[in-house]
Amino acid sequence: MNKPVTNAAFPLDRLALGRDPEATALVTRSGSLSYKTLNHRVGLLARWLLGQNFGQGDRVATWLPKTELACIMPLAAVRAGLVHVPINPVLKPAQVQHIIADSGAKLLITNKGRVNSLDDKPLDHDCVIREDVSVVTDIAAISDPLEPSEKDADTEALAAILYTSGSTGRPKGVMLSNANLSLGAVSVADYLKLEQDDRTLCVLPLSFDYGQNQLLSTWYAGGCAYPLDYLTPRDVTKGCARHEITTLAAVPPLWVQLVDQDWPEEAAQSMRRLTNSGGALTPSLVEQLRSIFGRNTDIYAMYGLTEAFRSTYLDPVLIDDNPTSMGTAIPFAEIMVVGSDGAIAAAGEEGELVHAGPLVAKGYWQDAVRTAERFKPAPIESEYGGTAVWSGDSVRRDKDGLLYFVGRTDNMIKSSGNRISPTEIEEVAIESGFIAEAVAIGVADERLGHAICLFARAKDDSDDRNIKEDLRKYMKRNLPNFMHPRDIRMLKEFPKNPNGKIDRNALTENEKS
């Protein structure tokens, strides 16, 4: 745990100040921006926002691909005293309506196609909808950019509301302060060892905390961000080669697709680091990444919560020997493993992951009930104290201090009196070598309480019946009887949520119906 000094946080819009003004900060389809121009554009957008007669703390939403406007809005909104609500561009109008209504956004900036999709579904409150091209035109006429926030501005002020994917109900908005986002950028830039000559390919949604941090941590380090809206995994490999990318972040389902691609030699040679969150890497996936990128590329396994941004990372020198570990606390985070009795769990014992420190969010927007369930006082042993995020994730810490994910408390399968981690079953299934992806869920059963159903996707076009038989034999050899799946369902493709993660809840609901 790395405890920061009290004045470490700063207003988010000052994130990219003090860097080489002539260095390239952002490259989009519309061109490249130096740090000097980036900060000028942030000031112009902030001045335009200030001219829309919003009140301090009003919410402004963007529903855009990775345009320049989408990339600089997080900084500009803060400079104008507003709160940014980024909306994933893959969401449908009904989901967008919910986010706009829930956040009370006064402005939605989107493109023409998305404006048209909302025409027959009017918003239920006074929200101005503007096309991005008209906003860009208005900004071009402004000559007096808004100056950066003062260094001593309130860093606890709300900066953004990020909506979760809603896989467990309607999306809920996580409230993030200037300090949450600025310290998150500092933390990631520090442990990834980002430098001014680094080039980050930003493939994850900017509405996703992990995706937004691709920009923020790169800018804090003085590097260059290359936002990419990709259609196929091949677009990612081509982008890495074209821009000699040094840093690539993804979630496991995307890594599974990327390791099946033919990587240009120039793309692999320039890569310094690969980072993963949103699910665990498997030993076989680590081996596949090694075969493509070699040992000169660091592989960072990470674990995060939108409610606390990021919690842990594994030092890349340890990943080959500990490929399934979540690692240890990132800078500015205190991570505790708390047993069911409320005491700190001993090494080897399972407990709930509890995260304390300045990265902890401010709760859920206008949802006191769910906030109280997840944001509770830190354990008395906490060095930070205050409010902590009680993750609902079961983990264990080994004798060397490394953390390992056991499972979601609400995803645990209870069968014949046994508490079973879906993750343990899934890891064994994937390590069989017969399948590329797997999800285990519990299905109501009168005799067992829950029976285990395993969903799997084959690595190739082999006959599903043969794969199921081979997989079942492998699992019987490598798992105790109470962990054997009753059913194995082969899928051609897994349902995904808007952030690209496997939608476990969709599988559960389909199984019930």
Side-chain angles (χ1 to χ4, degrees), residues 152-202:
D152 59 354
D154 180 14
T155 58
E156 292 304 311
L158 201 58
I161 303 175
L162 301 189
Y163 278 80
T164 63
S165 61
S167 61
T168 56
R170 285 199 135 186
K172 51 185 181 290
V174 178
M175 298 186 291
L176 300 174
S177 68
N178 277 257
N180 293 150
L181 292 170
S182 64
L183 286 178
V186 175
S187 177
V188 173
D190 176 73
Y191 73 74
L192 291 185
K193 302 179 177 66
L194 296 177
E195 302 289 347
Q196 291 189 14
D197 62 347
D198 271 311
R199 298 174 296 281
T200 303
L201 191 68
C202 306

Short mmCIF file of all heavy atoms in Angstrom, two decimals, residues 152-202:
data_model
loop_
_atom_site.label_atom_id
_atom_site.label_comp_id
_atom_site.label_asym_id
_atom_site.label_seq_id
_atom_site.Cartn_x
_atom_site.Cartn_y
_atom_site.Cartn_z
N ASP A 152 -5.20 25.16 -6.38
CA ASP A 152 -5.81 24.84 -5.10
C ASP A 152 -7.33 24.68 -5.20
O ASP A 152 -8.03 24.73 -4.19
CB ASP A 152 -5.47 25.90 -4.06
CG ASP A 152 -5.94 27.29 -4.48
OD1 ASP A 152 -6.43 27.45 -5.63
OD2 ASP A 152 -5.82 28.23 -3.67
N ALA A 153 -7.84 24.47 -6.42
CA ALA A 153 -9.28 24.26 -6.58
C ALA A 153 -9.70 22.98 -5.85
O ALA A 153 -8.89 22.10 -5.57
CB ALA A 153 -9.62 24.16 -8.07
N ASP A 154 -10.98 22.88 -5.57
CA ASP A 154 -11.52 21.75 -4.80
C ASP A 154 -11.40 20.45 -5.60
O ASP A 154 -12.12 20.24 -6.58
CB ASP A 154 -12.99 22.03 -4.47
CG ASP A 154 -13.63 20.90 -3.68
OD1 ASP A 154 -12.88 20.04 -3.16
OD2 ASP A 154 -14.86 20.86 -3.60
N THR A 155 -10.49 19.59 -5.18
CA THR A 155 -10.31 18.34 -5.92
C THR A 155 -11.33 17.27 -5.54
O THR A 155 -11.39 16.23 -6.16
CB THR A 155 -8.89 17.77 -5.68
OG1 THR A 155 -8.69 17.57 -4.28
CG2 THR A 155 -7.84 18.71 -6.24
N GLU A 156 -12.15 17.56 -4.51
CA GLU A 156 -13.22 16.62 -4.17
C GLU A 156 -14.50 16.91 -4.94
O GLU A 156 -15.48 16.18 -4.81
CB GLU A 156 -13.50 16.67 -2.65
CG GLU A 156 -12.34 16.13 -1.82
CD GLU A 156 -11.95 14.72 -2.21
OE1 GLU A 156 -12.84 13.85 -2.31
OE2 GLU A 156 -10.75 14.47 -2.44
N ALA A 157 -14.48 17.98 -5.74
CA ALA A 157 -15.64 18.29 -6.56
C ALA A 157 -15.89 17.18 -7.58
O ALA A 157 -14.95 16.58 -8.10
CB ALA A 157 -15.44 19.62 -7.28
N LEU A 158 -17.15 16.94 -7.88
CA LEU A 158 -17.51 15.88 -8.81
C LEU A 158 -17.00 16.23 -10.21
O LEU A 158 -17.14 17.36 -10.68
CB LEU A 158 -19.03 15.73 -8.83
CG LEU A 158 -19.61 14.40 -9.32
CD1 LEU A 158 -19.07 13.24 -8.50
CD2 LEU A 158 -21.13 14.45 -9.25
N ALA A 159 -16.38 15.24 -10.89
CA ALA A 159 -15.84 15.45 -12.23
C ALA A 159 -16.58 14.64 -13.28
O ALA A 159 -16.72 15.07 -14.42
CB ALA A 159 -14.36 15.08 -12.27
N ALA A 160 -17.06 13.46 -12.91
CA ALA A 160 -17.69 12.58 -13.90
C ALA A 160 -18.64 11.62 -13.21
O ALA A 160 -18.49 11.31 -12.01
CB ALA A 160 -16.63 11.80 -14.68
N ILE A 161 -19.60 11.14 -13.99
CA ILE A 161 -20.46 10.04 -13.57
C ILE A 161 -20.32 8.96 -14.63
O ILE A 161 -20.68 9.17 -15.79
CB ILE A 161 -21.94 10.45 -13.42
CG1 ILE A 161 -22.08 11.60 -12.42
CG2 ILE A 161 -22.79 9.26 -12.98
CD1 ILE A 161 -23.50 12.15 -12.31
N LEU A 162 -19.76 7.81 -14.25
CA LEU A 162 -19.59 6.70 -15.18
C LEU A 162 -20.64 5.63 -14.88
O LEU A 162 -20.74 5.15 -13.75
CB LEU A 162 -18.19 6.09 -15.06
CG LEU A 162 -16.99 7.01 -15.32
CD1 LEU A 162 -15.71 6.18 -15.37
CD2 LEU A 162 -17.16 7.79 -16.61
N TYR A 163 -21.42 5.29 -15.89
CA TYR A 163 -22.48 4.30 -15.71
C TYR A 163 -21.96 2.90 -16.00
O TYR A 163 -21.31 2.65 -17.01
CB TYR A 163 -23.67 4.63 -16.61
CG TYR A 163 -24.55 5.69 -15.97
CD1 TYR A 163 -24.20 7.03 -16.03
CD2 TYR A 163 -25.69 5.33 -15.26
CE1 TYR A 163 -24.97 7.99 -15.40
CE2 TYR A 163 -26.47 6.28 -14.63
CZ TYR A 163 -26.11 7.62 -14.70
OH TYR A 163 -26.87 8.57 -14.07
N THR A 164 -22.24 2.00 -15.05
CA THR A 164 -21.86 0.61 -15.23
C THR A 164 -22.71 0.00 -16.33
O THR A 164 -23.73 0.56 -16.73
CB THR A 164 -22.04 -0.18 -13.93
OG1 THR A 164 -23.44 -0.17 -13.58
CG2 THR A 164 -21.23 0.42 -12.81
N SER A 165 -22.32 -1.17 -16.78
CA SER A 165 -22.98 -1.77 -17.94
C SER A 165 -24.39 -2.23 -17.66
O SER A 165 -25.16 -2.48 -18.58
CB SER A 165 -22.16 -2.97 -18.42
OG SER A 165 -22.07 -3.95 -17.40
N GLY A 166 -24.74 -2.38 -16.39
CA GLY A 166 -26.11 -2.77 -16.09
C GLY A 166 -26.39 -4.24 -16.20
O GLY A 166 -27.52 -4.65 -16.39
N SER A 167 -25.35 -5.10 -16.09
CA SER A 167 -25.57 -6.54 -16.22
C SER A 167 -26.33 -7.11 -15.04
O SER A 167 -26.85 -8.21 -15.09
CB SER A 167 -24.22 -7.26 -16.37
OG SER A 167 -23.42 -7.04 -15.23
N THR A 168 -26.37 -6.37 -13.93
CA THR A 168 -27.12 -6.83 -12.77
C THR A 168 -28.27 -5.88 -12.48
O THR A 168 -28.59 -5.57 -11.34
CB THR A 168 -26.20 -6.91 -11.53
OG1 THR A 168 -25.59 -5.63 -11.33
CG2 THR A 168 -25.13 -7.95 -11.72
N GLY A 169 -28.93 -5.40 -13.50
CA GLY A 169 -30.03 -4.46 -13.34
C GLY A 169 -29.75 -3.20 -14.14
O GLY A 169 -28.84 -3.16 -14.95
N ARG A 170 -30.54 -2.17 -13.93
CA ARG A 170 -30.35 -0.94 -14.66
C ARG A 170 -29.01 -0.31 -14.33
O ARG A 170 -28.56 -0.37 -13.18
CB ARG A 170 -31.48 0.04 -14.34
CG ARG A 170 -32.79 -0.34 -15.02
CD ARG A 170 -33.73 0.84 -15.08
NE ARG A 170 -34.35 0.94 -16.39
CZ ARG A 170 -35.13 1.94 -16.75
NH1 ARG A 170 -35.37 2.92 -15.90
NH2 ARG A 170 -35.65 1.98 -17.95
N PRO A 171 -28.35 0.32 -15.33
CA PRO A 171 -27.04 0.93 -15.06
C PRO A 171 -27.11 1.91 -13.90
O PRO A 171 -28.08 2.65 -13.75
CB PRO A 171 -26.72 1.65 -16.38
CG PRO A 171 -27.50 0.92 -17.41
CD PRO A 171 -28.77 0.49 -16.73
N LYS A 172 -26.08 1.88 -13.08
CA LYS A 172 -26.00 2.83 -11.97
C LYS A 172 -24.79 3.72 -12.19
O LYS A 172 -23.74 3.27 -12.66
CB LYS A 172 -25.93 2.12 -10.62
CG LYS A 172 -24.87 1.04 -10.50
CD LYS A 172 -25.00 0.33 -9.15
CE LYS A 172 -23.93 -0.75 -8.97
NZ LYS A 172 -24.14 -1.91 -9.87
N GLY A 173 -24.93 4.99 -11.85
CA GLY A 173 -23.88 5.96 -12.10
C GLY A 173 -22.92 6.05 -10.93
O GLY A 173 -23.31 6.34 -9.80
N VAL A 174 -21.65 5.82 -11.20
CA VAL A 174 -20.61 5.93 -10.17
C VAL A 174 -20.04 7.35 -10.20
O VAL A 174 -19.60 7.83 -11.25
CB VAL A 174 -19.48 4.91 -10.42
CG1 VAL A 174 -18.39 5.06 -9.37
CG2 VAL A 174 -20.04 3.49 -10.41
N MET A 175 -20.08 8.02 -9.06
CA MET A 175 -19.64 9.42 -8.97
C MET A 175 -18.14 9.49 -8.71
O MET A 175 -17.65 8.96 -7.70
CB MET A 175 -20.39 10.14 -7.86
CG MET A 175 -21.90 10.21 -8.07
SD MET A 175 -22.73 11.22 -6.80
CE MET A 175 -22.52 10.20 -5.33
N LEU A 176 -17.40 10.14 -9.61
CA LEU A 176 -15.96 10.25 -9.49
C LEU A 176 -15.54 11.72 -9.35
O LEU A 176 -15.99 12.57 -10.11
CB LEU A 176 -15.28 9.64 -10.72
CG LEU A 176 -15.57 8.15 -10.95
CD1 LEU A 176 -14.96 7.69 -12.27
CD2 LEU A 176 -15.05 7.32 -9.80
N SER A 177 -14.67 11.98 -8.41
CA SER A 177 -14.19 13.35 -8.17
C SER A 177 -12.96 13.64 -9.02
O SER A 177 -12.37 12.74 -9.64
CB SER A 177 -13.84 13.51 -6.69
OG SER A 177 -12.69 12.72 -6.38
N ASN A 178 -12.54 14.89 -9.02
CA ASN A 178 -11.27 15.27 -9.65
C ASN A 178 -10.14 14.42 -9.07
O ASN A 178 -9.29 13.91 -9.81
CB ASN A 178 -10.96 16.74 -9.37
CG ASN A 178 -11.66 17.68 -10.33
OD1 ASN A 178 -11.05 18.20 -11.25
ND2 ASN A 178 -12.95 17.90 -10.11
N ALA A 179 -10.11 14.27 -7.74
CA ALA A 179 -9.04 13.51 -7.10
C ALA A 179 -9.05 12.05 -7.54
O ALA A 179 -8.00 11.45 -7.79
CB ALA A 179 -9.17 13.60 -5.58
N ASN A 180 -10.23 11.43 -7.61
CA ASN A 180 -10.31 10.04 -8.07
C ASN A 180 -9.64 9.87 -9.42
O ASN A 180 -8.83 8.94 -9.62
CB ASN A 180 -11.78 9.60 -8.20
CG ASN A 180 -12.53 9.50 -6.90
OD1 ASN A 180 -13.74 9.71 -6.88
ND2 ASN A 180 -11.85 9.19 -5.81
N LEU A 181 -9.97 10.75 -10.37
CA LEU A 181 -9.47 10.60 -11.74
C LEU A 181 -8.01 11.04 -11.88
O LEU A 181 -7.23 10.40 -12.59
CB LEU A 181 -10.37 11.37 -12.70
CG LEU A 181 -11.78 10.80 -12.85
CD1 LEU A 181 -12.67 11.76 -13.62
CD2 LEU A 181 -11.75 9.45 -13.53
N SER A 182 -7.64 12.15 -11.23
CA SER A 182 -6.26 12.62 -11.38
C SER A 182 -5.28 11.67 -10.68
O SER A 182 -4.23 11.33 -11.23
CB SER A 182 -6.10 14.04 -10.86
OG SER A 182 -6.33 14.14 -9.47
N LEU A 183 -5.63 11.20 -9.48
CA LEU A 183 -4.75 10.26 -8.79
C LEU A 183 -4.72 8.91 -9.49
O LEU A 183 -3.69 8.21 -9.48
CB LEU A 183 -5.18 10.08 -7.33
CG LEU A 183 -4.89 11.24 -6.39
CD1 LEU A 183 -5.42 10.96 -5.01
CD2 LEU A 183 -3.40 11.53 -6.33
N GLY A 184 -5.84 8.54 -10.13
CA GLY A 184 -5.85 7.31 -10.91
C GLY A 184 -4.87 7.38 -12.06
O GLY A 184 -4.16 6.41 -12.36
N ALA A 185 -4.80 8.54 -12.70
CA ALA A 185 -3.84 8.72 -13.80
C ALA A 185 -2.41 8.65 -13.30
O ALA A 185 -1.54 8.02 -13.92
CB ALA A 185 -4.10 10.06 -14.49
N VAL A 186 -2.15 9.30 -12.17
CA VAL A 186 -0.80 9.28 -11.58
C VAL A 186 -0.41 7.86 -11.21
O VAL A 186 0.71 7.40 -11.50
CB VAL A 186 -0.73 10.19 -10.34
CG1 VAL A 186 0.64 10.07 -9.66
CG2 VAL A 186 -1.02 11.63 -10.71
N SER A 187 -1.32 7.15 -10.58
CA SER A 187 -1.04 5.79 -10.12
C SER A 187 -0.68 4.87 -11.28
O SER A 187 0.34 4.17 -11.25
CB SER A 187 -2.27 5.23 -9.38
OG SER A 187 -2.06 3.90 -8.97
N VAL A 188 -1.51 4.87 -12.32
CA VAL A 188 -1.27 3.97 -13.46
C VAL A 188 0.00 4.35 -14.20
O VAL A 188 0.79 3.48 -14.58
CB VAL A 188 -2.48 3.97 -14.40
CG1 VAL A 188 -2.19 3.17 -15.67
CG2 VAL A 188 -3.70 3.38 -13.70
N ALA A 189 0.20 5.64 -14.43
CA ALA A 189 1.43 6.07 -15.11
C ALA A 189 2.66 5.63 -14.33
O ALA A 189 3.69 5.26 -14.92
CB ALA A 189 1.43 7.59 -15.29
N ASP A 190 2.54 5.61 -13.00
CA ASP A 190 3.67 5.23 -12.15
C ASP A 190 3.96 3.74 -12.26
O ASP A 190 5.09 3.34 -12.57
CB ASP A 190 3.36 5.60 -10.70
CG ASP A 190 4.45 5.14 -9.73
OD1 ASP A 190 5.53 5.76 -9.75
OD2 ASP A 190 4.22 4.17 -8.99
N TYR A 191 2.95 2.88 -12.04
CA TYR A 191 3.29 1.45 -12.00
C TYR A 191 3.46 0.84 -13.38
O TYR A 191 4.14 -0.19 -13.52
CB TYR A 191 2.30 0.66 -11.13
CG TYR A 191 0.91 0.42 -11.68
CD1 TYR A 191 0.67 -0.51 -12.68
CD2 TYR A 191 -0.19 1.06 -11.12
CE1 TYR A 191 -0.61 -0.76 -13.14
CE2 TYR A 191 -1.47 0.81 -11.56
CZ TYR A 191 -1.68 -0.11 -12.57
OH TYR A 191 -2.96 -0.36 -13.02
N LEU A 192 2.90 1.48 -14.43
CA LEU A 192 3.19 1.01 -15.78
C LEU A 192 4.51 1.56 -16.32
O LEU A 192 4.96 1.17 -17.40
CB LEU A 192 2.07 1.41 -16.74
CG LEU A 192 0.71 0.73 -16.58
CD1 LEU A 192 -0.23 1.16 -17.71
CD2 LEU A 192 0.83 -0.78 -16.53
N LYS A 193 5.08 2.51 -15.57
CA LYS A 193 6.36 3.14 -15.97
C LYS A 193 6.23 3.82 -17.34
O LYS A 193 7.09 3.69 -18.21
CB LYS A 193 7.50 2.12 -15.99
CG LYS A 193 7.72 1.43 -14.65
CD LYS A 193 8.86 0.41 -14.75
CE LYS A 193 9.16 -0.25 -13.39
NZ LYS A 193 8.04 -1.07 -12.91
N LEU A 194 5.13 4.55 -17.53
CA LEU A 194 4.92 5.27 -18.79
C LEU A 194 5.91 6.42 -18.92
O LEU A 194 6.23 7.09 -17.94
CB LEU A 194 3.48 5.80 -18.86
CG LEU A 194 2.37 4.76 -18.89
CD1 LEU A 194 1.00 5.45 -18.88
CD2 LEU A 194 2.49 3.85 -20.09
N GLU A 195 6.35 6.65 -20.15
CA GLU A 195 7.33 7.71 -20.43
C GLU A 195 6.79 8.65 -21.51
O GLU A 195 5.76 8.39 -22.14
CB GLU A 195 8.65 7.09 -20.91
CG GLU A 195 9.28 6.12 -19.93
CD GLU A 195 9.86 6.80 -18.70
OE1 GLU A 195 9.99 8.04 -18.73
OE2 GLU A 195 10.19 6.10 -17.72
N GLN A 196 7.51 9.75 -21.75
CA GLN A 196 7.07 10.74 -22.72
C GLN A 196 7.10 10.22 -24.15
O GLN A 196 6.41 10.76 -25.01
CB GLN A 196 7.93 12.01 -22.60
CG GLN A 196 7.69 12.77 -21.31
CD GLN A 196 8.38 14.12 -21.28
OE1 GLN A 196 8.83 14.62 -22.31
NE2 GLN A 196 8.45 14.74 -20.12
N ASP A 197 7.88 9.18 -24.42
CA ASP A 197 7.92 8.65 -25.78
C ASP A 197 6.98 7.45 -25.97
O ASP A 197 7.04 6.76 -26.98
CB ASP A 197 9.34 8.25 -26.18
CG ASP A 197 9.93 7.14 -25.31
OD1 ASP A 197 9.34 6.85 -24.25
OD2 ASP A 197 10.97 6.58 -25.70
N ASP A 198 6.09 7.21 -24.99
CA ASP A 198 5.15 6.10 -25.13
C ASP A 198 3.97 6.49 -26.02
O ASP A 198 3.54 7.65 -26.05
CB ASP A 198 4.64 5.66 -23.75
CG ASP A 198 5.52 4.60 -23.13
OD1 ASP A 198 5.83 3.61 -23.83
OD2 ASP A 198 5.91 4.75 -21.96
N ARG A 199 3.46 5.50 -26.73
CA ARG A 199 2.32 5.67 -27.63
C ARG A 199 1.28 4.62 -27.27
O ARG A 199 1.53 3.42 -27.37
CB ARG A 199 2.77 5.52 -29.10
CG ARG A 199 3.77 6.58 -29.53
CD ARG A 199 4.32 6.33 -30.93
NE ARG A 199 5.08 5.10 -31.01
CZ ARG A 199 6.34 4.94 -30.60
NH1 ARG A 199 6.98 5.97 -30.05
NH2 ARG A 199 6.95 3.78 -30.72
N THR A 200 0.10 5.09 -26.85
CA THR A 200 -0.97 4.21 -26.36
C THR A 200 -2.09 4.10 -27.39
O THR A 200 -2.64 5.11 -27.82
CB THR A 200 -1.55 4.75 -25.04
OG1 THR A 200 -0.50 4.87 -24.07
CG2 THR A 200 -2.64 3.83 -24.51
N LEU A 201 -2.42 2.86 -27.79
CA LEU A 201 -3.58 2.63 -28.65
C LEU A 201 -4.79 2.44 -27.75
O LEU A 201 -4.86 1.48 -26.97
CB LEU A 201 -3.36 1.41 -29.53
CG LEU A 201 -4.39 1.24 -30.66
CD1 LEU A 201 -4.23 2.34 -31.71
CD2 LEU A 201 -4.27 -0.14 -31.32
N CYS A 202 -5.75 3.36 -27.84
CA CYS A 202 -6.91 3.35 -26.93
C CYS A 202 -8.08 2.65 -27.62
O CYS A 202 -8.85 3.27 -28.36
CB CYS A 202 -7.29 4.78 -26.56
SG CYS A 202 -5.93 5.74 -25.86
#
